[in-house]
């Protein structure tokens, strides 16, 4: 194999996977591969999969099959990422269209594995294991001084002015429906100064907004002495060139007053809360092994809006969890109506292998789950459209993400990824922040008058 073997990386799933792909790309370049922008140009197609829930798994499998169909005659298809880590050799047997299955543990050996594959030596599929049982690797700085983050650890695969910054990986929570800890492993924070160095590099790449991502952002720092999420926000706030910092996936039970205050008072941190409540019935939340109920959640929302009246708030909910009754659905529906959310993701429950929920009694019929999810999704569309209309007249700051024919698209501080968009006319530049007033709405999208 020469030094110019071409590789295309197709990323599925969440923003954490985007970072994984960019770190993977850096490894490829370091090892002499050439990244290309389409599958048809590639000698190696890497599908960075998602393995969280059934629809995501199905999408990942479909993309692997699609890559196998469009590849050129000598191309090899590699399944990487969450699905590969979670199922390993089982996936390899079920999906022979993939020429290799490589889990997280072997990413540093990816180049060697691919070189062997192209030379005619098959890749031995990853053997799945519960990563929660692995010893925790210390993230504490070496005694000789803080570890330096190097630009060679990541290559940007997008020219967007927004970039995810992975502040931690893994999760220690024991939510009954979630399989992520088993294949992502235990929670591990990254040191503050390492993250600041990466943020400084991202600023040199034209990034204006940092999107802080992890499996559980509110746990940041619990495993590192003298590290807190509030402290991290303060350090990132000092990075020249970065205009906005956005937090994702805040566990409601871990949102403390000091964090609300830090978000409200730290200059570049946007007033935005991604709070995956999952349900509002105390009985169902208990079966999910989560804390709280609709009443305590509404009090949290009140605290947030008391500090930041115009804050954007989104949530996710699961419908049809084992034991859920029509009365529980009514509790959830009432909570969503009272919560005044800007965006709500509605997910239909499905069993996930290896989770506690899969073995619970009182499973809801699949047809009933789909009916409940459909009804709630329609209700949510009405709620979020109404919430957007209520915002007409508010002054907002929009980060421009794309422009075409005198029309710009971006997101205000209150709008997270996939929460809706803001549109404004005029001659604007990508990465520019434009102040304006919400003049009209279309669903969750806003029309901005500058």
């Amino acid at each position: 194999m020469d030094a110019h073997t071409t590789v295309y990386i197709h990323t599925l799933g969440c923003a954490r996977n985007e970072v994984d792909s960019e770190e993977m790309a850096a490894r490829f370049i370091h090892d002499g591969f050439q990244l290309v922008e389409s599958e048809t140009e590639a000698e190696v197609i890497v599908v960075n999969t998602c393995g969280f829930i059934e629809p995501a798994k199905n999408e990942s499998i479909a993309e692997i099959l699609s890559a196998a169909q469009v590849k050129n005659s000598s191309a090899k298809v590699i399944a990487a990422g969450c699905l590969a880590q979670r199922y390993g050799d089982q996936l390899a047997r079920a999906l022979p269209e993939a020429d290799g299955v490589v889990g997280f543990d072997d990413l540093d050996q990816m180049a060697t594995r691919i070189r062997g594959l192209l030379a005619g030596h098959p890749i031995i599929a990853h053997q799945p294991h519960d990563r929660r049982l692995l010893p925790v690797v210390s993230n504490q700085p070496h005694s000789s001084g803080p570890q330096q983050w190097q630009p060679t650890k990541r290559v940007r695969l997008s020219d967007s002015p927004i970039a995810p910054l992975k502040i931690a990986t893994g999760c220690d929570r024991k939510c009954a429906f979630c399989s992520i800890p088993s294949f992502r492993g235990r929670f591990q924070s990254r040191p503050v100064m390492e993250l600041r160095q990466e943020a400084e590099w991202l600023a040199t790449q034209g990034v204006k907004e940092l999107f802080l991502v992890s499996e559980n952002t509110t746990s940041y720092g619990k495993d590192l002495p003298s590290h807190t999420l509030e402290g991290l926000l303060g350090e990132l706030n000092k990075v020249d060139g970065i205009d906005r910092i956005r937090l994702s996936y805040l566990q409601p039970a871990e949102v403390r007053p000091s964090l609300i205050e830090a978000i409200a008072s730290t200059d570049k941190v946007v007033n935005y809360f991604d709070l995956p409540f999952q349900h509002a019935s105390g009985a169902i939340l208990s079966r999910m092994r989560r804390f709280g109920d609709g009443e305590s959640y509404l009090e949290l929302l009140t605290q947030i809006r008391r500090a930041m009246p115009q804050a954007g708030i989104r949530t996710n909910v699961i419908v049809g969890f084992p034991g859920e009754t029509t009365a529980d659905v009514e509790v959830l529906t009432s909570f969503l109506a009272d919560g005044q959310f800007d965006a709500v993701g509605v997910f239909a429950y499905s069993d996930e292998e290896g989770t506690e929920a899969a073995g619970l009694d009182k499973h809801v019929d699949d047809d009933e789950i789909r009916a409940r999810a459909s009804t709630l999704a329609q209700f949510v569309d009405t709620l979020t459209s109404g919430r957007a209309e209520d915002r007409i007249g508010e002054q907002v700051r929009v980060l421009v993400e794309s422009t075409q024919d005198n029309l710009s698209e971006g997101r205000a501080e209150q709008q997270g990824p996939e929460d809706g968009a803001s549109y404004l006319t005029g001659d604007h530049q990508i990465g520019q922040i434009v102040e304006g007033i919400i003049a009209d709405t279309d669903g969750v999208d806003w029309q901005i008058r500058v």
Side-chain angles (χ1 to χ4, degrees):
M1 185 195 81
D2 63 36
H4 302 291
T5 297
T6 53
V7 180
Y8 174 77
I9 301 175
H10 186 95
T11 307
L12 300 169
C14 64
R16 297 184 295 277
N17 263 17
E18 292 179 33
V19 180
D20 291 345
S21 286
E22 293 188 347
E23 292 175 346
M24 198 185 307
R27 288 191 180 98
F28 280 130
I29 291 174
H30 179 268
D31 288 314
F33 291 77
Q34 177 186 347
L35 296 179
V36 294
E37 296 183 356
S38 72
E39 293 177 336
T40 55
E41 301 176 73
E43 295 166 85
V44 179
I45 302 169
V46 178
V47 182
N48 188 6
T49 62
C50 178
F52 179 32
I53 56 177
E54 198 65 29
K57 290 186 284 187
N58 291 338
E59 181 185 9
S60 295
I61 291 170
E63 182 55 40
I64 293 169
L65 294 174
S66 174
Q69 291 174 356
V70 303
K71 68 181 183 180
N72 63 50
S73 59
S74 62
K76 301 297 183 183
V77 177
I78 307 296
C82 293
L83 195 70
Q85 177 69 31
R86 186 175 180 186
Y87 293 103
D89 54 351
Q90 179 183 344
L91 178 64
R93 291 192 299 271
L95 207 63
E97 290 83 357
D99 299 292
V101 175
V102 181
F104 302 139
D105 302 330
D106 300 318
L107 288 181
D108 59 343
Q109 297 296 315
M110 178 81 84
T112 301
R113 302 288 179 86
I114 289 176
R115 287 193 173 97
L117 179 65
L118 294 175
H121 307 296
I123 291 178
I124 298 176
H126 165 72
Q127 298 293 312
H129 54 266
D130 191 333
R131 286 172 64 90
R132 290 171 296 190
L133 304 179
L134 295 177
V136 174
V137 178
S138 174
N139 281 327
Q140 297 186 41
H142 298 302
S143 57
S144 58
Q147 188 173 14
Q148 297 294 305
W149 183 87
Q150 299 296 326
T152 53
K153 293 183 179 180
R154 181 175 177 183
V155 172
R156 290 218 70 201
L157 297 177
S158 165
D159 58 2
S160 170
I162 300 166
L165 178 64
K166 185 168 62 176
I167 67 171
T169 187
C171 185
D172 292 338
R173 297 184 69 89
K174 299 179 180 180
C175 301
F177 53 82
C178 186
S179 60
I180 287 177
S182 66
F183 58 87
R184 278 285 186 180
R186 298 176 63 183
F187 186 87
Q188 290 184 272
S189 306
R190 295 177 59 196
V192 165
M193 294 314 297
E194 179 182 309
L195 290 168
R196 177 169 173 172
Q197 291 161 10
E198 185 171 348
E200 291 170 343
W201 173 78
L202 287 169
T204 69
Q205 305 299 300
V207 171
K208 297 299 181 182
E209 177 178 312
L210 299 176
F211 184 42
L212 275 51
V213 299
S214 73
E215 280 75 18
N216 181 7
T217 301
T218 36
S219 280
Y220 177 80
K222 72 172 190 177
D223 54 332
L224 291 179
S226 304
H227 282 58
T228 65
L229 183 54
E230 294 88 338
L232 173 62
L233 295 178
E235 282 297 324
L236 296 179
N237 196 62
K238 301 173 186 176
V239 177
D240 292 336
I242 296 298
D243 295 325
R244 301 203 312 201
I245 301 167
R246 184 182 303 276
L247 295 168
S248 73
Y249 219 79
L250 304 174
Q251 284 288 346
E254 297 179 15
V255 176
R256 50 205 174 269
S258 61
L259 178 57
I260 295 174
E261 171 60 24
I263 294 173
S265 62
T266 307
D267 179 43
K268 297 179 182 179
V269 179
V270 298
N271 294 169
Y272 171 84
F273 288 77
D274 174 14
L275 297 163
F277 288 114
Q278 307 299 7
H279 215 283
S281 162
I284 296 302
L285 287 164
S286 178
R287 283 172 70 86
M288 288 180 170
R289 293 205 179 278
R290 294 176 69 85
F291 300 95
D293 54 26
E295 183 177 352
S296 62
Y297 290 166
L298 288 173
E299 174 56 30
L300 173 60
L301 296 177
T302 297
Q303 293 174 30
I304 290 169
R305 290 191 170 114
R306 189 179 296 131
M308 293 158 278
Q310 292 187 344
I313 303 177
R314 72 152 291 129
T315 193
N316 293 327
V317 296
I318 297 172
V319 183
F321 190 81
E324 184 188 67
T325 65
T326 55
D328 294 320
V329 177
E330 290 174 2
V331 170
L332 176 58
T333 302
S334 178
F335 167 71
L336 293 175
D338 293 338
Q340 296 182 302
F341 295 99
D342 293 278
V344 180
V346 178
F347 294 89
Y349 172 81
S350 62
D351 282 339
E352 286 297 318
E353 302 97 322
T355 63
E356 179 184 354
L360 290 177
D361 60 357
K362 301 180 181 179
H363 268 57
V364 181
D365 178 77
D366 287 345
D367 289 340
E368 177 63 19
I369 291 176
R370 285 190 289 270
R372 291 179 185 180
S374 176
T375 299
L376 191 62
Q378 293 177 44
F379 179 68
V380 160
D381 285 345
T382 300
L383 290 177
T384 53
S385 295
R387 173 63 175 157
E389 291 176 3
D390 291 341
R391 286 188 177 274
I392 291 176
E394 288 186 10
Q395 187 167 347
V396 294
R397 302 172 73 243
V398 176
L399 174 61
V400 176
E401 299 179 47
S402 65
T403 61
Q404 184 176 7
D405 299 331
N406 206 43
L407 177 67
S408 297
E409 178 181 347
R411 284 182 295 110
E413 295 182 350
Q414 296 86 351
Q415 296 173 305
E418 302 179 3
D419 288 353
S422 290
Y423 297 91
L424 52 160
T425 57
D427 184 18
H428 306 294
Q429 302 296 316
I430 293 175
Q432 179 182 359
I433 292 181
V434 182
E435 293 191 7
I437 293 174
I438 303 173
D440 199 4
T441 62
D442 181 8
V444 294
D445 295 333
W446 302 348
Q447 300 294 327
I448 308 300
R449 182 175 69 249
V450 179

